[in-house]
Amino acid sequence: MSAAGVALMLGGAGIILAAGPARAAEVSYATECIPPPISGLPPVEGTTKVQITAPAEAKVGDEVEVVWKTVQAASKNPDVLDLETDTVKPTGTVKVAGAQSADLAVEGPRQNPPIPKNSPMVLPDMKAKLKLTKAGDVTLAPDKYTINVSKPLSTDTKCSPKETVGAGATIKVTEGGGTSGGTTTSGGTTTSGGTTGSGGTTTSGGTTTSGGTTTSGGTTGSGGTTTSGGTTASGGTTSTGGTTGGTGGQTDFPGKEVAVTFACKSPGPASINSKVTIDAKKSGGSYALTVKTAKGVMNSPAPLPAGALKPSMQVTVGGADKGSVTVTGAPNSGPLNTGDPVSLSDMTGTYKPGASGKSTLSPGALTIDVTLGGSKITIPCTVTGTPPVSLELDTTAQQGGASGGTSTSGGSSSGGASTTGGTAASGGLAQTGANDHGALRALGLIAGTAVLLGGAVFTFTPWRRLRGTRT
């Protein structure tokens, strides 16, 4: 019996047959990818390369398989974190045009090999079934696609064409007859919608698959960054920065509330505007510091578990004394949902004076650490302009005090920076930033994913500016 006869028999039995596939022509098109909102990254421009496979010939009424093989995605996994096995899942749209028109949704499995940072994205093939409804040439062209990364949070990078995309395959659909293998190629795109029809039974099923590899650009992703999940009391009331702590029996020295603008590096917000208060409580020759920022400074850009976010700051020491004091806050006490108001927890540390006289305390570099799945990203923020003084103290030099160095909780050390307690001495912030199409350099997305193509990744999207009004 001829191949056509076998095809007709199987078609009549309702079996989907894979007729000779169309010869897949690789289609390249300019693409813009939008990283997940939490990444805070700009759109990425790149080139997508795709092969579409489908039967070369079929007949009206057939249901054929269409396969999208990604040869190259528009962006790569940035130089941040490695992506784990089976964390990436693509979905996309194939534009059906010619004798009939439709947007065919294709989907791939969550399946990928480990993808090292700074390497091409490897996406599984996407597939779908197409019911042929009208005789004539039916063209298939790749269109938009989305890359989902499941860990540590589910994030999407959405990519769409920036130019007209040529067809990757053409199916010659006839009113009556079987299927079989010719070849086919690319062609124009679009339009027209036939409806349904008749004819035989049989179908043809395109085959071909493959795990395309993919490259370029940097998107990504994500994961996420955000700030504070604690609660935080507003620093309330205020006293002028000039209370003294060296005389009399006074032990509590409330600071003045000052307005501060912080400039932050990606993946954090561009800037943070907040009210800050530095209070001090004298204990011997040292001072226990409490730094408070505004409450509800922003809305959470993504779900965060309890304990994921922790703030710290370098309080700048001026006047008679010089140096800085590290203060740290507790992690957010409860989980945060997307859109929940977030506050930075109060930050505490110990200031040991290194000089006698009137010494000033001002807000300094702010650091926000977000930890998920054992991976940590650091968002460094520096004060814009001259830091305003929140508190002035009458200090007496202490052995191992801060003069010219960094004083941290209970730390001591001769002549230089004191140690202990909080981390992060000034100048020791991790270098971060975007380069090469927005790929993150030193930061990763939380947990084993990375700012993947943005989403593929994860890295935090435009954070809202912190509200300066305390409640």
Side-chain angles (χ1 to χ4, degrees):
M1 177 181 290
S2 69
V6 172
L8 285 172
M9 288 178 61
L10 293 176
I15 299 175
I16 294 178
L17 223 213
R23 191 161 50 220
E26 184 175 288
V27 179
S28 297
Y29 55 99
T31 307
E32 179 182 67
C33 293
I34 306 298
I38 58 174
S39 71
L41 296 176
V44 174
E45 304 263 343
T47 300
T48 299
K49 296 181 180 180
V50 175
Q51 286 184 350
I52 299 291
T53 303
E57 299 176 2
K59 63 185 176 69
V60 173
D62 286 351
E63 186 177 61
V64 299
E65 185 175 61
V66 176
V67 180
W68 169 320
K69 171 185 172 65
T70 303
V71 178
Q72 174 181 299
S75 55
K76 64 181 178 181
N77 184 19
D79 188 14
V80 181
L81 294 177
D82 298 332
L83 295 179
E84 298 178 12
T85 301
D86 298 341
T87 56
V88 179
K89 176 183 176 69
T91 55
T93 299
V94 172
K95 288 287 187 182
V96 180
Q100 69 183 79
S101 65
D103 286 342
L104 180 66
V106 292
E107 181 176 350
R110 191 172 299 283
Q111 181 180 335
N112 61 279
I115 303 176
K117 52 190 173 185
N118 198 31
S119 66
M121 287 296 301
V122 179
L123 305 179
D125 291 352
M126 296 182 280
K127 300 179 181 181
K129 296 289 173 46
L130 173 65
K131 181 80 168 181
L132 300 174
T133 60
K134 192 172 183 179
D137 286 352
V138 174
T139 61
L140 306 172
D143 194 58
K144 61 187 178 182
Y145 59 98
T146 297
I147 299 171
N148 174 267
V149 173
S150 60
K151 290 185 178 181
L153 298 176
S154 179
T155 56
D156 289 330
T157 295
K158 298 184 178 183
C159 303
S160 56
K162 299 301 289 182
E163 62 180 336
T164 300
V165 184
T170 300
I171 304 173
K172 294 188 178 299
V173 183
T174 59
E175 289 289 357
T179 72
S180 120
T183 62
T184 208
T185 61
S186 99
T189 258
T190 120
T191 121
S192 169
T195 43
T196 172
S198 74
T201 48
T202 206
T203 76
S204 143
T207 59
T208 166
T209 69
S210 155
T213 157
T214 210
T215 74
S216 157
T219 269
T220 240
S222 213
T225 269
T226 172
T227 86
S228 145
T231 45
T232 169
S234 131
T237 65
T238 149
S239 109
T240 168
T243 350
T244 69
T247 59
Q250 183 178 358
T251 58
D252 292 329
F253 302 92
K256 171 174 67 174
E257 182 179 81
V258 294
V260 183
T261 296
F262 295 94
C264 303
K265 291 187 177 180
S266 179
S271 65
I272 291 176
N273 297 315
S274 182
K275 300 294 181 63
V276 178
T277 304
I278 302 174
D279 297 331
K281 185 178 182 67
K282 189 173 182 183
S283 177
S286 298
Y287 297 85
L289 303 185
T290 298
V291 178
K292 300 178 181 182
T293 58
K295 282 182 77 171
V297 294
M298 60 172 286
N299 291 335
S300 177
L304 291 175
L309 186 149
K310 183 176 181 179
S312 62
M313 180 184 287
Q314 293 294 310
V315 174
T316 300
V317 181
D321 201 1
K322 304 296 178 189
S324 63
V325 180
T326 300
V327 292
T328 58
N332 55 301
S333 59
L336 295 167
N337 296 317
T338 301
D340 285 353
V342 243
S343 303
L344 296 176
S345 59
D346 291 353
M347 294 169 277
T348 60
T350 300
Y351 166 47
K352 180 182 288 188
S356 299
K358 291 190 179 299
S359 301
T360 60
L361 301 176
S362 304
L366 171 68
T367 300
I368 300 169
D369 290 325
V370 179
T371 303
L372 288 175
S375 296
K376 181 172 77 173
I377 66 171
T378 297
I379 302 166
C381 304
T382 55
V383 176
T384 299
T386 302
V389 174
S390 175
L391 182 62
E392 184 179 81
L393 298 170
D394 231 352
T395 59
T396 300
Q398 304 294 309
Q399 180 67 36
S403 188
T406 300
S407 173
T408 63
S409 292
S412 65
S413 124
S414 63
S418 267
T419 61
T420 279
T423 56
S426 63
L429 299 173
Q431 166 135 12
T432 64
N435 86 6
D436 294 336
H437 301 291
L440 288 182
R441 268 199 93 59
L443 287 191
L445 266 158
I446 307 181
T449 98
V451 207
L452 159 63
L453 312 135
V457 269
F458 143 15
T459 299
F460 293 53
T461 234
W463 295 12
R464 300 192 174 177
R465 289 188 175 225
L466 296 184
R467 297 191 293 278
T469 303
R470 302 168 75 86
T471 57

